[in-house]
Amino acid sequence: KQEPAQQQQEQVQDGSVMHWVILPQYGEEVEIVAGALRSISQSSMAASSISIVLGMEEREGDVAHSKAAQLQADFSGQFREILVSYHPAGLPNDPPGKASNLAWAFKALLRHLVIGQHELSNVVLTVADADSEFHASYFNCLAQHFLETGDEIRYMRIWQSPVFHVKNYHRQPAPVLVGTMFTAMQELAALADPNAVRFPYSSYSLSLALARRVGGWDAEWIAEDYHMGIKCFLLSLGRSTVEPILVPTINYTPEADTYLGTVWARWTQAKRHALGFSDFSYFFMMLPLLFSYATTQRSGIQSLQAFWSMATYGVTLLIRLVNIHVIIGILSTYTLCTSLLKMAMLVMFSDDRNVDFLFSRTSFCPQLLMVSSSICTVFVSLLFISVYSLVRDRVEGEPERYITSSLLHWARNAIAIVVCGPFYFLGLGICIWKAALNVAISTSFEYEVAPKPTAAKPAQ
């Protein structure tokens, strides 16, 4: 008699779980996408259980068709299937971007599976940026997690690996490096903490059943990953969760030909990410609709209980969004806001109001902030060295000589945080304030594409 663990391992390998990886893309060079496909093909189950959807954009014209044909030819036989979808331009309520491309590719895939009469209950979808490089064990681990989870729960799960933007780490300018370190630590901390509130980020996986249950991806929401996590939570009445798969996925930060060009490209990306602020409006927009839905169900009291449970726990999602989009925006502009407030009070209040005394008595707040920031700088830069050592062989190019010494590497990163950190977080705060203003006055947003490396070489 076989042990359960051995039976699960055999199920992983025998095609009991069918993977479909969706790679939405626009303007990516063939070699960039080929790098992602090479990493997926390293899985032992690639030829038998992994299929690919190349989400192309029709607005690229003949280039998109030639790229898709070349990728299909180069990776023929390495995957179970390679499907190509072409997202049309100019559809109503369908702005260009990853979310709209992904929404279209999902519909094309679902149509393909239904017409082909495929078994749908064992299909797991993985959404990935076109420059993602997966760990060789990712899909085996994903299949095992899917099989180990109970029949009901598995269809309410989103799986997330830690995503590190380090593929071009050796070429990143210091201001970009600061963002790379803090983003890596933020995502890793959330995945490692069992009590954390998690959102899917960049590249993630979920069952086809869950994607169908919530109606797929919404084309109009720019921050497609966080939005999909919130949408699954709301439309499952709080039952969906994000669970970690602790094998690293790496990709690029935006990169241009010059130092300043790369910094500007990262600024462009930060402005786009900040538009996740719009998910506040989505959350509150959906609550009355879900309440109406719950009151019309036959189960009555049970549905209302599920709604109120979801709404209560949903506060934690709002707190996480506040921490990401509001607190950072306020802290990043704290000094400026404090100076403006003090100036206004000095001008408008009389001397007997003792404005200077008020600010002197509250000066401990920025002092505590400075001390905590210094401690965090030490820990973030130290922990990032450990992360780097885990993925060093997957990072492009040769490091500078000093990076080979852990002490000098840490010192370089700590100095980068001290010198460039204030400018990075100020820029982040400006992006968030700009996004908040856009949400207040506009109903649609522009998806700005940041430059990526123009050529990627296969890992040696």
Side-chain angles (χ1 to χ4, degrees), residues 115-172:
I115 292 174
Q117 297 184 338
H118 293 265
E119 173 60 45
L120 303 183
S121 63
N122 66 344
V123 174
V124 177
L125 307 178
T126 296
V127 175
D129 290 342
D131 61 346
S132 298
E133 181 181 308
F134 289 94
H135 191 278
S137 301
Y138 176 79
F139 292 96
N140 296 70
C141 292
L142 174 59
Q144 189 164 350
H145 277 265
F146 182 81
L147 292 171
E148 288 177 348
T149 308
D151 289 343
E152 290 298 322
I153 300 176
R154 72 174 59 160
Y155 299 120
M156 293 293 166
R157 284 275 167 88
I158 300 173
W159 288 276
Q160 176 71 57
S161 67
V163 177
F164 303 134
H165 308 297
V166 297
K167 199 166 182 180
N168 55 346
Y169 173 75
H170 298 148
R171 303 191 297 271
Q172 292 178 12

Side-chain angles (χ1 to χ4, degrees), residues 265-295:
R266 182 65 181 89
W267 161 259
T268 300
Q269 185 188 56
K271 288 190 294 180
R272 187 179 75 237
H273 287 173
L275 289 173
F277 195 95
S278 60
D279 281 314
F280 282 108
S281 60
Y282 176 79
F283 187 95
F284 289 110
M285 177 184 73
M286 292 298 294
L287 285 182
L289 300 177
L290 291 170
F291 180 79
S292 298
Y293 168 80
T295 58

Side-chain angles (χ1 to χ4, degrees), residues 379-400:
F379 279 100
V380 165
S381 51
L382 280 173
L383 290 171
F384 185 78
I385 300 301
S386 299
V387 169
Y388 171 81
S389 66
L390 292 174
V391 297
R392 165 64 191 91
D393 59 336
R394 299 165 62 189
V395 178
E396 285 185 359
E398 291 300 320
E400 298 289 343

Side-chain angles (χ1 to χ4, degrees), residues 321-383:
L321 285 175
V322 167
N323 288 339
I324 295 170
H325 293 297
V326 179
I327 300 299
I328 290 179
I330 293 174
L331 290 180
S332 300
T333 54
Y334 178 83
T335 303
L336 177 61
C337 292
T338 303
S339 301
L340 292 175
L341 177 61
K342 183 177 181 180
M343 187 181 302
M345 293 175 71
L346 287 171
V347 171
M348 300 175 67
F349 290 0
S350 60
D351 292 340
D352 62 356
R353 301 298 293 273
N354 296 315
V355 173
D356 286 323
F357 178 75
L358 170 65
F359 279 88
S360 66
R361 295 292 291 176
T362 57
S363 61
F364 69 92
C365 292
Q367 290 171 1
L368 285 176
L369 180 62
M370 181 64 68
V371 171
S372 63
S373 298
S374 301
I375 295 172
C376 287
T377 295
V378 173
F379 279 100
V380 165
S381 51
L382 280 173
L383 290 171

